[in-house]
Amino acid sequence: MTRVQLTDAEWEFIGPYLPIGQYGPYPERLRQQFEGVIWRFKTGGQWREMPQEFGAWATVSNRFRQWRDAGVFEALLEGLIAEAAKRGEVDLSLVSIDSTTARAHHDAAGMHLDEDVLTA
């Protein structure tokens, strides 16, 4: 089993990004649940395979979806970039922009068009 445990400094940075609603989650379990999310993506294991130390797998899975839908991970990434920029540790030469690929319909393979259609 891959051990996932945040340092106190890491948690101090991450914790404020995680929303606490009126009816949960219990703040003392947030760190445990966040570590469960990290475990899931670090190991590639299934939610149901999650060790009990992170709490019930269904709860951690639901929490992940709530955080994803609330934009927590995007905000956390932006916060990390801003923190690195404050320290002068952002190297824009490493920035990459990904493009979207649009697949052609399978009928488009080998299709022959008249010259007047191509010029139009």
Side-chain angles (χ1 to χ4, degrees), residues 81-101:
I81 292 169
E83 188 63 33
K86 282 185 209 173
R87 295 191 306 258
E89 297 175 352
V90 174
D91 182 1
L92 294 179
S93 69
L94 299 175
V95 172
S96 171
I97 298 176
D98 191 4
S99 64
T100 302
T101 301

Side-chain angles (χ1 to χ4, degrees), residues 12-23:
E12 196 172 301
F13 184 84
I14 294 168
Y17 286 92
L18 304 179
I20 299 174
Q22 184 177 2
Y23 301 105

Side-chain angles (χ1 to χ4, degrees), residues 14 18 41 46 52 54 68 72 84 86 99 105 108 117:
I14 294 168
L18 304 179
F41 291 101
Q46 304 224 351
Q52 192 61 36
F54 302 117
R68 179 198 62 202
V72 167
K86 282 185 209 173
S99 64
H105 188 272
V117 173

